[in-house]
Amino acid sequence: MKKKFSFSQLLFLFIGGMIGFIISKFMINNVEENSTFEKVLILVILLISIFLAYLIQIIVHESGHLIFGLLTGYKFSSFRIGSIMFVKKNSKIKCKRFSLAGTGGQCLMTPPDFNNGFFPCMLYNFGGSIANLFLSIIALILFLSFRNILYLSPFLLLLVLIGIAFALTNGIPRHAGYVNNDGYNALHLNKNDVVKRAFWIQLKVNGLITDEIRLKDMPSELFEIPEDEYLNNQLCSCIGVLACSRAIDQQNFQKAKEIGNKILIDVPELNSIHKNLLISEMIFCELVCENRKDEIERLYTDKFKKFIKVLKNNLSITRMRYAYEVLVNNDEIAAKKLLDTFSKIKKTYPHQCEIEGELELIDYVNHIYLTRNNRE
């Protein structure tokens, strides 16, 4: 792969340089006569300030999506910062744990009805960037008013810079690394009804999962894969990923293989998370169907192994790994460790309906194992 800087990398490189300049200037102006211990302490305080400014802007960004979503008819589903997730269950907000590689947070909402090709989506998408800019303006006003107050002034300036970085990298439409940002989604949603419906479906399916409805029990029309010409759009290809997951939840593994292989072949720009999750499901389908060693080895590459290390606490990945240890390696110890991992994850996992489906698939693996052993 060619090495090149993306817009985000260049922007954060610039912001990083500005932050370094702020810290060095602050140190030069305020700590020259301090002891070494005091200098180190001040530097630690400044580094904590960077972290806090970053965390605050993440919270504000996701809150922006939440506020503008509520204003345009969306309903709250979940709000996540890091791995801490607040999710709505039976009219109550519960605290769970869930993480997604590559994201610092996420606000998901159930959209209003899709009527004649329309549902409000612009403000929901741009809400995060608007909130970041708003806080940056407030922080800049406060900085200009209190620029001589030790520690407060550099913190406010950091809040300004990081907020601007968040607003630009999320608000300016761009497609980098096969991942669309909020601005890119909003731009394409306004141009194409197929893409807009695909975005709506993802939010709708997530809302139904939050209501503890399994994929196999959802209306089939939500899983109609868009025509091939649209599949290179990330929002449309995601419908294919959902359709594959639904087929697996129905234990229709041949159908899942057909869908998954089609998406993997026909969508070269499929983002890495969806691609590797599909590969995981193709491995699982192979394990519980033909169980061909050469096909499993073809899919179970070193690159894929690195991916599953990143998502080691993902339920479906853990279930696939369990099937691999049981049906390929016959390793009871490794399989037991994976079951223990699964049990640990499910204690704080936000959606009971997904746990239920995964447990049924684990039972299916155990049934195959016992059947094969009896034949032998």
Side-chain angles (χ1 to χ4, degrees):
M1 295 178 64
K2 294 181 179 179
K3 296 290 184 181
K4 61 180 181 179
F5 285 105
S6 67
F7 171 76
S8 296
Q9 289 172 322
L10 289 172
L11 179 61
F12 276 101
L13 189 63
F14 173 75
I15 296 295
M18 292 294 294
I19 290 172
F21 173 77
I22 292 169
I23 290 176
S24 62
K25 186 174 177 61
F26 182 85
M27 296 289 287
I28 291 170
N29 292 341
N30 296 283
V31 302
E32 284 185 349
E33 298 180 358
N34 292 48
S35 67
T36 301
F37 173 78
E38 290 172 324
K39 290 179 181 178
V40 171
L41 181 61
I42 291 171
L43 181 59
V44 169
I45 292 173
L46 288 172
L47 292 174
I48 292 173
S49 297
I50 296 173
F51 170 77
L52 287 176
Y54 184 81
L55 179 62
I56 288 170
Q57 287 291 8
I58 288 178
I59 294 172
V60 167
H61 182 87
E62 301 306 333
S63 298
H65 288 304
L66 174 64
I67 292 168
F68 284 97
L70 291 173
L71 289 174
T72 51
Y74 289 68
K75 296 180 181 179
F76 176 82
S77 291
S78 64
F79 187 93
R80 177 176 60 84
I81 300 297
S83 62
I84 305 299
M85 183 178 190
F86 298 94
V87 60
K88 188 175 182 180
K89 297 290 183 183
N90 299 320
S91 301
K92 295 181 180 180
I93 305 298
K94 296 185 177 181
C95 184
K96 299 290 184 177
R97 294 188 70 87
F98 179 79
S99 61
L100 181 62
T103 64
Q106 194 173 37
C107 174
L108 293 174
M109 307 186 76
T110 302
D113 291 339
F114 192 84
N115 292 320
N116 298 319
F118 173 80
F119 85 103
C121 55
M122 298 299 286
L123 284 176
Y124 175 68
N125 274 282
F126 282 119
S129 294
I130 293 171
N132 288 134
L133 278 179
F134 179 76
L135 180 60
S136 292
I137 292 171
I138 298 298
L140 180 60
I141 293 171
L142 292 173
F143 168 75
L144 294 174
S145 301
F146 304 105
R147 66 172 62 189
N148 295 321
I149 296 181
L150 192 65
Y151 299 123
L152 178 61
S153 58
F155 171 73
L156 292 171
L157 192 53
L158 290 168
L159 207 57
V160 172
L161 291 171
I162 293 173
I164 291 172
F166 269 58
L168 293 179
T169 54
N170 286 284
I172 296 177
R174 63 188 181 85
H175 174 69
Y178 304 152
V179 177
N180 302 337
N181 71 348
D182 294 333
Y184 187 94
N185 283 339
L187 179 67
H188 283 75
L189 292 174
N190 228 22
K191 292 181 178 179
N192 193 305
D193 286 347
V194 175
V195 177
K196 184 181 290 186
R197 178 168 174 77
F199 180 70
W200 179 84
I201 287 173
Q202 290 178 58
L203 294 176
K204 182 68 175 178
V205 167
N206 180 79
L208 292 173
I209 291 173
T210 302
D211 291 338
E212 299 298 351
I213 299 173
R214 286 174 58 173
L215 292 177
K216 70 182 185 69
D217 298 322
M218 294 181 192
S220 58
E221 57 265 26
L222 294 177
F223 303 91
E224 295 175 358
I225 303 173
E227 299 294 326
D228 290 353
E229 61 184 292
Y230 298 108
L231 287 180
N232 273 323
N233 182 285
Q234 180 185 330
L235 295 172
C236 292
S237 62
C238 184
I239 305 304
V241 178
L242 289 172
C244 178
S245 297
R246 182 173 188 260
I248 289 177
D249 195 30
Q250 294 171 326
Q251 297 190 11
N252 189 343
F253 303 116
Q254 291 300 334
K255 181 179 179 180
K257 287 177 71 173
E258 291 173 8
I259 296 171
N261 286 324
K262 173 181 171 56
I263 299 298
L264 288 171
I265 293 171
D266 294 349
V267 189
E269 293 194 358
L270 188 66
N271 77 65
S272 61
I273 291 178
H274 286 159
K275 179 179 180 179
N276 284 288
L277 286 174
L278 272 183
I279 291 173
S280 176
E281 298 296 33
M282 292 304 94
I283 292 172
F284 180 80
C285 289
E286 182 63 35
L287 287 166
V288 298
C289 294
E290 291 88 349
N291 197 18
R292 294 167 295 181
K293 184 178 180 181
D294 57 339
E295 179 63 9
I296 293 169
E297 289 178 350
R298 183 184 71 83
L299 294 168
Y300 219 112
T301 62
D302 290 338
K303 190 174 182 180
F304 175 72
K305 290 175 184 177
K306 291 179 181 178
F307 169 81
I308 61 177
K309 286 182 179 179
V310 175
L311 289 187
K312 61 183 179 181
N313 290 327
N314 178 281
L315 285 180
S316 67
I317 294 289
T318 304
R319 175 250 303 161
M320 182 280 297
R321 293 176 63 202
Y322 173 78
Y324 185 83
E325 295 299 341
V326 170
L327 301 177
V328 175
N329 292 339
N330 292 317
D331 190 333
E332 293 183 7
I333 296 175
K336 175 64 167 57
K337 287 181 179 178
L338 287 166
L339 284 183
D340 291 342
T341 298
F342 188 94
S343 297
K344 183 179 179 181
I345 298 169
K346 76 176 186 179
K347 288 179 181 178
T348 56
Y349 194 77
H351 308 304
Q352 185 62 37
C353 65
E354 293 186 330
I355 294 172
E356 179 184 312
E358 295 296 342
L359 287 173
E360 287 181 7
L361 292 170
I362 288 174
D363 286 340
Y364 188 84
V365 170
N366 293 335
H367 173 73
I368 292 174
Y369 176 71
L370 292 173
T371 302
R372 288 179 183 174
N373 281 354
N374 289 335
R375 286 175 184 173
E376 295 174 359

